[in-house]
Amino acid sequence: MEVLVRIKRFNPEKDEAPYWAEYKVQAQPSDRVLDLLNHIKWNIDGTLSYRRSCAHGICGSDAVVINGVNRLACRELVKNVGSRIEIEPIRGLPVIKDLIVDMEPFFAGYKAIHPFLIADDPPADGKERRQSPAERARFDDTTKCILCAACTTSCPIFWTNDVYVGPAAIVNAHRFIFDSRDRGASIRLDVLNSQAGVWR
Amino acid sequence: MATPNPGTGIRYAGRPRPTQSNFELYSWLFMRVSGVVLWILVLGHLLIMHVLNSVRDIDYAFVENRWANPLWRIWDWTMLILALIHGLNGVRLMSDDYLRKRKHRVIATILIYVAAFAFILIGSITILMFRSPTGM
Ligand code: SF4
């Protein structure tokens, strides 16, 4: 099938403002949007810039806005998006080039919740901190965040408010607060309880 | 729960250090509770002033008569206070959410506090200090 791919491109060294570039591409319905980007970069216009690494929904590099919805380009199939595909950089973060954004403001919210195990007390048996499967299951869901920023950059408050921690930070705070080995809950809860936190 | 101090290495990545205050928590709770209470107060008010009584019958004497009963004064005053704080707190949250510059947020917050203070004062004086000239 023929797919019309419109990509919001921007090269700060050349362009005054972002513009839409159009590419006509032959694709299989089972192709992923990332395959289209690769095809364009490798065969049509090598200057197109975007992030991708694992290409299998693990690394969290290729979150983009596809037809208005935040998605991972490596997980979105052409047959689910249609024959006209608009791709933009995720919103609320400064665009570095084309689909590449500066992720630092996103990671600032993540760092604020102290995303590391805080356990300064010695382990009960002096060797290791044991955890039962049930205790591990409690925060299993939130261990799966790949920090793609799709959630946080879809939030209008994050677009305008420069200190709001954003949903990804809340997810990652949960990951440690509900970890039976962690002793840093009050530090994390203070952040979530502040004006930049969850009460919005 | 006792939290060991993980040392002075704590960084908030250039963000404001969280205060220990529960203000935002109470603000959040207040919005929920006052919302429910306002439902009852405002619908009751609408019922009395616009359904059971025709607007044409509502005049100075009507209000004077109504306010002779402390219950209605407390009703009206509670409605005024809750509606003002609920509404202006909502504006405060929206300005926090959507004003980009910190300076603008500070100015908006100051204006909101001044407005809240002024309207609460004027409204309270009107409702609570009202003395019926006819002595009703
Ligand atoms: S929680 Fe947010 S940042 Fe984490 S994987 Fe999900 S969408 Fe991506």
Side-chain angles (χ1 to χ4, degrees), chain A residues 106 144-152 168 171:
Chain A
F106 168 74
K144 294 176 182 153
C145 173
I146 56 174
L147 295 171
C148 67
C151 57
T152 296
V171 162

Side-chain angles (χ1 to χ4, degrees), chain B residues 46-57:
Chain B
L46 271 177
L47 191 73
I48 293 167
M49 302 301 273
H50 298 276
V51 181
L52 299 183
N53 296 289
S54 159
V55 224
R56 258 172 255 122
D57 304 334

Side-chain angles (χ1 to χ4, degrees), chain A residues 157-199:
Chain A
I157 297 173
F158 181 80
W159 301 343
T160 47
N161 185 313
D162 50 1
V163 291
Y164 172 53
V165 289
I170 299 171
V171 162
N172 285 281
H174 175 285
R175 184 252 168 271
F176 288 101
I177 291 169
F178 288 88
D179 185 331
S180 59
R181 301 162 301 178
D182 188 73
R183 296 286 172 272
S186 68
I187 295 171
R188 309 181 209 287
L189 288 172
D190 275 352
V191 177
L192 298 187
N193 192 28
S194 70
Q195 202 186 8
V198 295
W199 307 114

Side-chain angles (χ1 to χ4, degrees), chain A residues 53-67:
Chain A
S53 183
C54 76
H56 291 84
I58 311 255
C59 71
S61 304
D62 67 351
V64 286
V65 184
I66 300 175
N67 285 358

Side-chain angles (χ1 to χ4, degrees), chain A residues 107-109 111-112 114 118 120-121 156-157 159-165 182-187 190-191 193-196 198-200, chain B residues 1-7 10-13 15-16 18-25 28 32 92-93 96-102 105:
Chain A
F107 284 121
K111 287 177 194 160
H114 299 72
I118 297 175
D120 288 350
D121 49 336
I157 297 173
W159 301 343
T160 47
N161 185 313
D162 50 1
V163 291
Y164 172 53
V165 289
D182 188 73
R183 296 286 172 272
S186 68
I187 295 171
D190 275 352
V191 177
N193 192 28
S194 70
Q195 202 186 8
V198 295
W199 307 114
R200 308 221 64 93
Chain B
M1 188 180 70
T3 304
N5 180 2
I10 289 202
R11 294 186 48 213
Y12 290 90
R15 306 154 49 79
T19 55
Q20 300 288 318
S21 130
N22 280 327
F23 181 78
E24 295 296 333
L25 160 67
W28 187 89
R32 269 76 204 160
R92 179 185 72 89
L93 290 170
D96 274 349
D97 285 349
Y98 292 111
L99 292 183
R100 283 170 191 268
K101 293 217 172 84
R102 190 173 299 255
R105 294 205 286 267

